[in-house]
Amino acid sequence: MILLLVGSDSYADNQEEISIKSAFMLKMTHFINWPEGSKVREENKSIFRLCLEHGHELSSTLTQWAKTGKIKNKTVEIKYISTVSATADSCDILYITKKKFLHDFVAHSKDIDILTISDLAGGASSGSIINFIKIDDKVRFEINLEKGENSGFKFSPRLLRLAKIVKGSQ
Amino acid sequence: MINILMVVFIAVIGFYHNFMNEHEFIKSKLLEEKILTAKIVGSYAASDIGFDNKKSAIVSLSYLESDESTINVHLYDEDGNYFISLYENKEIPDVGVVSAEKSIFKKNELQVIEPIKVGGELFGYILLQSSTRSYADDYKRNINQIISMFLVLVLIVIAIAGPLASIVTSPISELVKATKKVTRDNDYITRVEVKNKDEVGELVNAFNEMLLQIKIRDGERDQSDQLLRDSEEFLSLTLNNMIIGVITVSYDWKVKSYNRSAQKMFGYKESEVVGSLVLSLFADGQKIRLQKEIDFHHDSGHLGVLSGGLEMKGLKKDQTEFPVYMSVTSMRDPKTEETIFIVSIEDITNKKIQDEQLRRTQRMDALGNLTGGVAHDYNNMLGVILGYAELLSMNTGLPDKVKSYIKEIAHAANRASKLTKKLLAFTKRTSAESLAVNVNEVLINNKSMIEKTLTLKIKLEYFLDDNLWHVWLDAGDLEDAVVNLSINAMHAMEQGGSLTFTSQNLSLSEIESRALQLPAGEYVLLKVADTGQGMNEATRIRIFEPFFSTKADKGTGLGLSQVYGFVKRSNGEIKVYSEPGKGTHFDFYFPRYHAEHNNSGAILEEENIEQYSGTETILVVDDEPGLRKLADELLSYYGYSVTCVDCAESALEILTEERFDMLLSDVIMTGMDGYELADKVREKYPLMKVQLASGFSYNKSHTDSVDDLQNTMLQKPYRKIELLRRVRTLFDEG
């Protein structure tokens, strides 16, 4: 359904990319297991927290989707944050599109059970666990496997198979 | 053979079933395998579809390249849109809208569509096209295997079916054989041998047990059947041996059954009567009476005795009528609920004859009493006349002329006495002169006299039994009877003929004797048969009556009555058989006499009368004054001391005052009779002699004393010498 939104002009191209990334982000959750002790693994927690930077371009698509969709069998809650401190104990996925924010987060956040997904050139090697990239004009993603696994995430081979595995700072 | 075909048939069914199962099994196994493959490959490719990576998808699908059965594999996105195929150059099959799991078996191909889900979320669909060749191979291999196995099995079945079948069927064949034997011969003793302890063995055991139970039940049934048959036979025998005729009749009066007595009575066989109207068994005039019985029942519906002892006339087959007593009862047949009439018939022909004989006998008795009474009175008077004539003749001083008158008086009185004797001979009385007699001797002694009586025109024939028994009778009476019959025969055969005397011994059974109205026992039969003119029935039944005569002035009518009296006196019987023109037979039945007897008949000779005189005292009792006086005169004349009284009561009275040596008493007297008086006198005065005199037969109940007195009875009118001899003899006996 998301893919239906795909257009042919530049706006449409942008929109399509947004949709694809939104869809990718949601689909990735099926191939990733959150670390032991994380809130996502707690069955009694019924909310899956998806944090976006305030005013992010994905927000409208994801908000729309979150009304009916579920992640890890939990209702999705879209949260908008503007500071790293606001993420503390508040996010299960943190979508980062700003390099500074990624740096700050990597430098200050101690929440290791937040799956960080960035859309930044060299995002994965900069400390994000997953990072969207474009290869042959197609949306693809890279995974900082070491970072993710050190944080306690487990990745499905089927996901890893499609990802570009990168190494980078912890 | 049928067994083998059955086994083969069952095997075919079994193999077919097995084959189909196998086929389905292989098919489902293949499907399961392909679905699993599709799922696995689909899950590999899930992320490829999800993250729109066709290259990766090809890699994921290439996993199936190594599977030879893979024709192609296609991926579709979550909306069912084609995504990619393993072999892009091959045609994509048209499976319609891809939206759900689906499996399609085509000729050589299996198409499986499986949704691809991860964490419950739909990523897309996978369509796996597989060749079913391996399945077909399996299928063929299976068929070959099955056919081979089947053939082997058929061979095995053929090889072992016979022996195997015989193991099973042999006891069953035995059972069938036994069953047939039981059905054919009712042989419940036969048993089937138990060869095995399996189910068939149990069946055989049960069969044997069943036969035993049937045998027991059969035995019980046979026993009750036999009892029933015995009972029926007994009832039938009883019915057929009844003297009365029993005829059962249906409601419409048709004969249903007819017992043996009825057959004898009517002369019809049962088959001739059953089904015909019972009315035909009765004389015309009787049918109305029978019809009344029917109507009575029909009107009243009464059950039970309808009529009893109704006198009717039955009609024999030869159309002769015979008298019967008919009783009719009705009952309800318990089976059919129909009314059945039971007609009992008693043939009373003999009873009628006996009644007639009894009636005749009674008439003869009445005549005898009348005749005896008259003769008694005449005897008394003749006794007086004779007595006084004798007394007068003793007077020697009378003129000869007077003496001749007295002689004439005595002669006439003697003749009159003989006549009354004949009359008295008709009446039954015990003859004091009866002796054991051989009838043959009497016949032989009188042959010349009979011949003279019969004249030369009539032939006299004797057929005598040399060993004839003795009989107890008065030979004189028999002579008289023989002469009487000869005279009658002579009159009946004026144109000549023959008279035959036949004697024979005869033992009469109960039945034979009953018909002759005689007690059963041994008899001497004397047959006297002439070939004269015979007589009709009306004459025959009256010939023994006194004064009945067919000879007008030729006879007195006393001859045969005298014969009749003699026969009765001898405790015998006489039967007459006669038909006009066919002669007459008289059959005399005299009872055999057993004891030895002095057969020498006493012959009265001229005796010295003086030897009978005496001086004893005699009490004379007689209600006839003339005889009283005569006895007084006669006895007194010869020295006896005589006292006379006119009745028994006076005699007893005088005996209380005076002693007598002898009582001489009449028997028939007004008031107490001579027998009673004799009894009383003997009781009170046992030393006193008793002599009775009578001119009349008198039946007295038989006691010893009566027999004694009857045997020594003086027959009136007695002659002087008879009286004196009797008196003297009695005194001299001591």
Side-chain angles (χ1 to χ4, degrees), chain B residues 317-595:
Chain B
K317 190 180 179 182
D318 62 9
Q319 298 303 303
T320 55
E321 294 179 7
F322 67 109
V324 296
Y325 279 150
M326 182 191 76
S327 301
V328 184
T329 55
S330 58
M331 64 167 201
R332 195 84 72 198
D333 186 328
K335 275 187 186 167
T336 61
E337 284 290 311
E338 282 179 7
T339 302
I340 303 274
F341 298 95
I342 302 161
V343 181
S344 310
I345 304 287
E346 186 185 353
D347 185 344
I348 54 167
T349 306
N350 283 336
K351 186 178 181 305
K352 283 272 174 189
I353 293 169
Q354 286 167 5
D355 283 354
E356 178 57 28
Q357 282 174 340
L358 180 66
R359 201 178 53 75
R360 208 180 305 153
T361 306
Q362 284 170 340
R363 192 170 59 176
M364 297 296 269
D365 281 350
L367 275 169
N369 285 335
L370 176 67
T371 312
V374 171
H376 173 255
D377 288 346
Y378 270 99
N379 256 350
N380 285 343
M381 287 180 269
L382 287 170
V384 173
I385 292 166
L386 263 175
Y388 280 105
E390 282 186 320
L391 279 175
L392 276 175
S393 66
M394 288 193 293
N395 191 337
T396 51
L398 288 173
D400 287 346
K401 200 171 184 180
V402 174
K403 282 183 182 173
S404 70
Y405 293 162
I406 292 167
K407 204 175 176 181
E408 283 300 318
I409 291 167
H411 181 66
N414 267 324
R415 280 178 60 204
S417 174
K418 279 182 185 169
L419 189 66
T420 54
K421 245 188 181 174
K422 283 187 179 176
L423 272 173
L424 286 167
F426 165 65
T427 63
K428 287 188 280 176
R429 64 178 168 83
T430 308
S431 173
E433 290 155 27
S434 291
L435 295 166
V437 171
N438 186 321
V439 171
N440 288 352
E441 282 178 19
V442 175
L443 292 173
I444 292 163
N445 290 342
N446 289 279
K447 193 172 183 184
S448 61
M449 189 181 72
I450 297 166
E451 278 171 341
K452 279 177 192 165
T453 307
L454 290 175
T455 73
L456 290 172
K457 286 188 286 185
I458 297 164
K459 190 183 171 189
L460 176 66
E461 287 183 297
Y462 278 6
F463 296 99
L464 307 178
D465 184 341
D466 291 340
N467 299 310
L468 200 66
W469 297 324
H470 280 85
V471 292
W472 184 254
L473 48 72
D474 185 330
D477 283 347
L478 179 58
E479 283 172 14
D480 286 349
V482 166
V483 171
N484 263 319
L485 289 173
S486 301
I487 293 167
N488 285 347
M490 184 264 287
H491 287 144
M493 297 184 285
E494 285 179 345
Q495 303 304 318
S498 68
L499 180 66
T500 311
F501 285 84
T502 309
S503 69
Q504 65 180 91
N505 294 329
L506 194 67
S507 291
L508 292 179
S509 69
E510 194 68 46
I511 294 170
E512 291 167 328
S513 63
R514 202 179 300 152
L516 294 165
Q517 288 188 298
L518 285 169
E522 294 174 327
Y523 290 86
V524 166
L525 170 63
L526 171 62
K527 277 177 178 281
V528 183
D530 68 42
T531 56
Q533 62 198 18
M535 59 186 126
N536 60 25
E537 179 69 7
T539 304
R540 190 185 68 76
I541 60 174
R542 295 191 64 193
I543 54 169
F544 296 119
E545 289 179 16
F547 309 114
F548 177 81
S549 176
T550 56
K551 299 180 222 167
D553 55 342
K554 285 183 187 170
T556 60
L558 288 174
L560 286 177
S561 66
Q562 194 183 342
V563 170
Y564 181 85
F566 148 67
V567 172
K568 290 288 170 188
R569 204 157 54 239
S570 308
N571 296 317
E573 186 56 69
I574 182 167
K575 299 286 171 194
V576 188
Y577 307 96
S578 184
E579 275 184 55
K582 291 190 175 176
T584 304
H585 292 196
F586 287 89
D587 287 356
F588 295 85
Y589 297 85
F590 297 112
R592 179 184 181 181
Y593 185 76
H594 288 276

Side-chain angles (χ1 to χ4, degrees), chain A residues 1-4 16 20 23-31 65 70 136 138-141 157-159 161-163, chain B residues 42-57 59-60 77-79 117-123:
Chain A
M1 191 168 70
I2 297 167
L3 296 175
L4 290 174
E16 185 188 353
I20 287 168
F24 276 20
M25 194 159 65
L26 295 169
K27 284 179 181 174
M28 276 173 190
T29 60
H30 292 294
F31 300 96
W65 180 85
K70 284 190 168 182
D136 298 335
K138 284 192 180 289
V139 178
R140 295 283 180 259
F141 51 88
R158 279 175 279 179
L159 185 68
R161 190 162 53 78
L162 300 173
Chain B
S43 74
Y44 279 148
S47 54
D48 304 325
I49 302 168
F51 299 108
D52 192 26
N53 194 326
K54 288 184 178 171
K55 274 187 183 170
S56 173
V59 173
S60 296
D77 68 17
E78 60 190 36
D79 296 320
K117 286 182 175 175
V118 178
E121 187 174 336
L122 183 69
F123 277 71

Side-chain angles (χ1 to χ4, degrees), chain B residues 258 544 660:
Chain B
Y258 182 75
F544 296 119
F660 291 91

Side-chain angles (χ1 to χ4, degrees), chain B residues 118-141:
Chain B
V118 178
E121 187 174 336
L122 183 69
F123 277 71
Y125 298 92
I126 181 168
L127 165 58
L128 176 62
Q129 283 180 278
S130 305
S131 162
T132 57
R133 257 190 323 217
S134 65
Y135 158 71
D137 290 347
D138 282 355
Y139 180 69
K140 273 183 195 166
R141 196 166 53 248

Side-chain angles (χ1 to χ4, degrees), chain B residues 158-212:
Chain B
I158 290 168
I160 67 168
L164 195 68
S166 78
I167 289 170
V168 178
T169 57
S170 151
I172 291 171
S173 298
E174 291 287 318
L175 274 180
V176 170
K177 224 183 280 174
T179 309
K180 281 180 181 169
K181 198 176 177 200
V182 166
T183 317
R184 190 182 59 231
D185 307 333
N186 284 338
D187 174 13
Y188 297 105
I189 297 166
T190 191
R191 291 289 180 273
V192 182
E193 192 189 344
V194 182
K195 288 176 180 167
N196 299 308
K197 287 186 177 176
D198 55 7
E199 290 81 352
V200 178
E202 280 178 30
L203 178 67
V204 171
N205 269 332
F207 180 78
N208 286 340
E209 177 62 22
M210 183 186 76
L211 287 183
L212 178 68

